[in-house]
Amino acid sequence: MNREVILYIAVSVDGYIAEADGSIGFLEATEVIVDEDSYQELLDKIDTVVLGRTTYDQLVNELAPGNYPYTEQTSYIITSHPDTNTEKLVFTSEDPVELVRNLKSVDGKAIWIVGGGSIIAPLVEANLIDSYVITTIPVLLGKGIPLFSEFEGPVSLKVDRVDVNNGLVYTYYSKK
């Protein structure tokens, strides 16, 4: 029962996952086409997604209004303002590290860490992320919310492969 934990996320060339105000307009404004094969490969191997409330709200209000994209998976939304749970949506105030450790201890497919930064940093620091798929969007934001905020490191990774597809750079890492 050692489920793989995958961070699959988009980042600007200068390392930001969102603009300074938290918006993700740079993802929509950049005329890029996501590598459907890479994304579908991810969806086929996961049954669980973990995300913060801000990321969840951006998904349901901006990126996919009225069409939550992860209906096939169980979603754990980490928030200090829990909402009503459903069969596939679980709102929790549990610490990200404890949540992921608990999820890894039960049978299932891989776990996707969707974002944001406050969820990612403690998981990196605890070395709980097994695979990193970082898609670099060809834009420099200058300031914003960094993909990796400060944490006690280092965490050693190895580069598994780098692909360039539709103007995006996909870098695949795994922990050593």
Side-chain angles (χ1 to χ4, degrees):
M1 279 189 278
N2 196 14
R3 300 168 70 182
E4 181 182 16
V5 178
I6 304 165
L7 174 65
Y8 183 106
I9 197 163
V11 65
S12 66
V13 172
D14 48 354
Y16 298 111
I17 58 173
E19 296 172 44
D21 64 0
S23 69
I24 50 175
F26 80 97
L27 294 174
E28 299 163 335
T30 310
E31 292 188 23
V32 294
I33 301 168
V34 172
D35 180 356
E36 290 296 331
D37 291 340
S38 171
Y39 185 65
Q40 191 58 54
E41 180 183 311
L42 171 74
L43 292 179
D44 288 346
K45 67 192 298 188
I46 66 165
D47 65 1
T48 304
V49 298
V50 175
L51 60 160
R53 181 61 184 249
T54 301
T55 304
Y56 172 79
D57 287 344
Q58 286 173 327
L59 275 169
V60 298
N61 296 320
E62 296 174 44
L63 293 177
N67 186 24
Y68 184 68
Y70 313 123
T71 57
E72 299 296 314
Q73 296 80 22
T74 300
S75 296
Y76 290 86
I77 299 98
I78 299 174
T79 178
S80 58
H81 305 297
D83 210 330
T84 303
N85 293 341
T86 67
E87 182 182 343
K88 294 285 192 174
L89 292 175
V90 179
F91 294 88
T92 179
S93 59
E94 192 171 2
D95 173 75
V97 170
E98 290 307 309
L99 174 64
V100 170
R101 282 188 176 137
N102 290 336
L103 290 171
K104 283 179 68 86
S105 72
V106 297
D107 284 332
K109 294 167 76 175
I111 301 162
W112 175 17
I113 307 304
V114 178
S118 63
I119 307 301
I120 296 167
L123 296 175
V124 170
E125 187 171 57
N127 204 18
L128 284 171
I129 299 175
D130 300 302
S131 301
Y132 297 73
V133 180
I134 300 176
T135 304
T136 304
I137 308 294
V139 64
L140 293 164
L141 294 177
K143 60 184 174 184
I145 298 171
L147 170 56
F148 299 112
S149 55
E150 289 187 23
F151 63 90
E152 292 298 319
V155 174
S156 296
L157 304 174
K158 70 178 183 125
V159 178
D160 294 320
R161 76 181 209 249
V162 178
D163 298 334
V164 178
N165 195 343
N166 297 323
L168 303 179
V169 179
Y170 295 82
T171 310
Y172 296 78
Y173 301 92
S174 56
K175 68 179 179 181
K176 286 186 174 182

